[in-house]
mmCIF file of all heavy atoms in Angstrom:
data_model
loop_
_atom_site.group_PDB
_atom_site.id
_atom_site.type_symbol
_atom_site.label_atom_id
_atom_site.label_comp_id
_atom_site.label_asym_id
_atom_site.label_seq_id
_atom_site.Cartn_x
_atom_site.Cartn_y
_atom_site.Cartn_z
ATOM 1 N N PRO A 309 9.998 89.857 39.873
ATOM 2 C CA PRO A 309 11.185 89.277 40.525
ATOM 3 C C PRO A 309 12.340 90.260 40.571
ATOM 4 O O PRO A 309 12.639 90.935 39.582
ATOM 5 C CB PRO A 309 11.512 88.066 39.636
ATOM 6 C CG PRO A 309 10.828 88.333 38.335
ATOM 7 C CD PRO A 309 9.623 89.131 38.664
ATOM 8 N N ARG A 324 12.995 78.130 43.502
ATOM 9 C CA ARG A 324 12.861 76.812 44.156
ATOM 10 C C ARG A 324 11.967 75.902 43.318
ATOM 11 O O ARG A 324 12.225 74.714 43.201
ATOM 12 C CB ARG A 324 12.300 76.975 45.564
ATOM 13 C CG ARG A 324 13.260 77.644 46.535
ATOM 14 C CD ARG A 324 12.798 77.476 47.974
ATOM 15 N NE ARG A 324 13.136 76.166 48.487
ATOM 16 C CZ ARG A 324 12.359 75.438 49.284
ATOM 17 N NH1 ARG A 324 11.157 75.886 49.600
ATOM 18 N NH2 ARG A 324 12.742 74.283 49.723
ATOM 19 N N TYR A 354 -10.635 84.888 41.563
ATOM 20 C CA TYR A 354 -9.591 85.916 41.550
ATOM 21 C C TYR A 354 -9.349 86.334 40.105
ATOM 22 O O TYR A 354 -8.440 85.815 39.440
ATOM 23 C CB TYR A 354 -8.303 85.383 42.186
ATOM 24 C CG TYR A 354 -8.465 84.985 43.621
ATOM 25 C CD1 TYR A 354 -8.728 83.660 43.975
ATOM 26 C CD2 TYR A 354 -8.369 85.937 44.638
ATOM 27 C CE1 TYR A 354 -8.896 83.291 45.302
ATOM 28 C CE2 TYR A 354 -8.529 85.571 45.961
ATOM 29 C CZ TYR A 354 -8.794 84.247 46.296
ATOM 30 O OH TYR A 354 -8.954 83.887 47.603
ATOM 31 N N GLU A 463 13.164 115.431 58.869
ATOM 32 C CA GLU A 463 12.769 115.172 60.248
ATOM 33 C C GLU A 463 12.597 116.487 61.009
ATOM 34 O O GLU A 463 11.637 116.654 61.772
ATOM 35 C CB GLU A 463 13.828 114.301 60.930
ATOM 36 C CG GLU A 463 13.544 113.990 62.401
ATOM 37 C CD GLU A 463 12.266 113.193 62.599
ATOM 38 O OE1 GLU A 463 11.867 112.456 61.683
ATOM 39 O OE2 GLU A 463 11.651 113.320 63.682
ATOM 40 N N PHE A 468 9.002 120.598 63.296
ATOM 41 C CA PHE A 468 8.565 121.992 63.241
ATOM 42 C C PHE A 468 7.056 122.069 62.951
ATOM 43 O O PHE A 468 6.325 122.833 63.593
ATOM 44 C CB PHE A 468 9.356 122.725 62.163
ATOM 45 C CG PHE A 468 8.737 124.015 61.714
ATOM 46 C CD1 PHE A 468 8.688 125.116 62.549
ATOM 47 C CD2 PHE A 468 8.183 124.129 60.437
ATOM 48 C CE1 PHE A 468 8.110 126.310 62.127
ATOM 49 C CE2 PHE A 468 7.611 125.304 60.009
ATOM 50 C CZ PHE A 468 7.568 126.407 60.859
ATOM 51 N N ALA A 505 -0.604 129.591 55.757
ATOM 52 C CA ALA A 505 -2.007 129.190 55.923
ATOM 53 C C ALA A 505 -2.501 128.511 54.646
ATOM 54 O O ALA A 505 -3.114 127.432 54.686
ATOM 55 C CB ALA A 505 -2.864 130.411 56.251
ATOM 56 N N ALA A 579 3.722 113.765 30.237
ATOM 57 C CA ALA A 579 4.446 112.913 29.299
ATOM 58 C C ALA A 579 4.814 111.576 29.927
ATOM 59 O O ALA A 579 4.852 110.544 29.246
ATOM 60 C CB ALA A 579 5.697 113.629 28.805
ATOM 61 N N ILE A 697 13.103 110.682 23.569
ATOM 62 C CA ILE A 697 13.793 109.759 24.474
ATOM 63 C C ILE A 697 15.301 109.992 24.397
ATOM 64 O O ILE A 697 15.876 110.052 23.302
ATOM 65 C CB ILE A 697 13.459 108.300 24.124
ATOM 66 C CG1 ILE A 697 11.981 108.003 24.457
ATOM 67 C CG2 ILE A 697 14.364 107.332 24.881
ATOM 68 C CD1 ILE A 697 11.520 106.603 24.073
ATOM 69 N N SER A 699 17.591 108.060 26.619
ATOM 70 C CA SER A 699 18.300 106.809 26.875
ATOM 71 C C SER A 699 17.356 105.773 27.449
ATOM 72 O O SER A 699 16.301 106.103 28.001
ATOM 73 C CB SER A 699 19.464 107.032 27.852
ATOM 74 O OG SER A 699 18.975 107.461 29.120
ATOM 75 N N VAL A 707 14.128 95.732 35.991
ATOM 76 C CA VAL A 707 13.590 97.095 35.960
ATOM 77 C C VAL A 707 14.415 97.903 34.956
ATOM 78 O O VAL A 707 15.640 97.955 35.043
ATOM 79 C CB VAL A 707 13.645 97.773 37.346
ATOM 80 C CG1 VAL A 707 13.156 99.224 37.251
ATOM 81 C CG2 VAL A 707 12.812 97.007 38.357
ATOM 82 N N GLU A 756 38.180 98.131 3.527
ATOM 83 C CA GLU A 756 39.150 97.688 2.528
ATOM 84 C C GLU A 756 40.556 98.104 2.931
ATOM 85 O O GLU A 756 41.526 97.354 2.750
ATOM 86 C CB GLU A 756 38.787 98.268 1.158
ATOM 87 C CG GLU A 756 37.518 97.667 0.565
ATOM 88 C CD GLU A 756 37.086 98.357 -0.709
ATOM 89 O OE1 GLU A 756 37.727 99.382 -1.065
ATOM 90 O OE2 GLU A 756 36.127 97.895 -1.352
ATOM 91 N N ALA A 799 39.728 90.144 15.562
ATOM 92 C CA ALA A 799 39.813 89.978 17.012
ATOM 93 C C ALA A 799 41.140 90.498 17.567
ATOM 94 O O ALA A 799 41.194 91.056 18.664
ATOM 95 C CB ALA A 799 39.626 88.508 17.383
ATOM 96 N N ALA A 853 28.798 86.732 25.048
ATOM 97 C CA ALA A 853 28.909 85.875 23.864
ATOM 98 C C ALA A 853 27.695 84.975 23.699
ATOM 99 O O ALA A 853 27.256 84.697 22.574
ATOM 100 C CB ALA A 853 30.190 85.035 23.949
#
Side-chain angles (χ1 to χ4, degrees):
R324 291 194 80 219
Y354 299 95
E463 178 63 27
F468 162 69
I697 291 177
S699 63
V707 176
E756 290 173 354

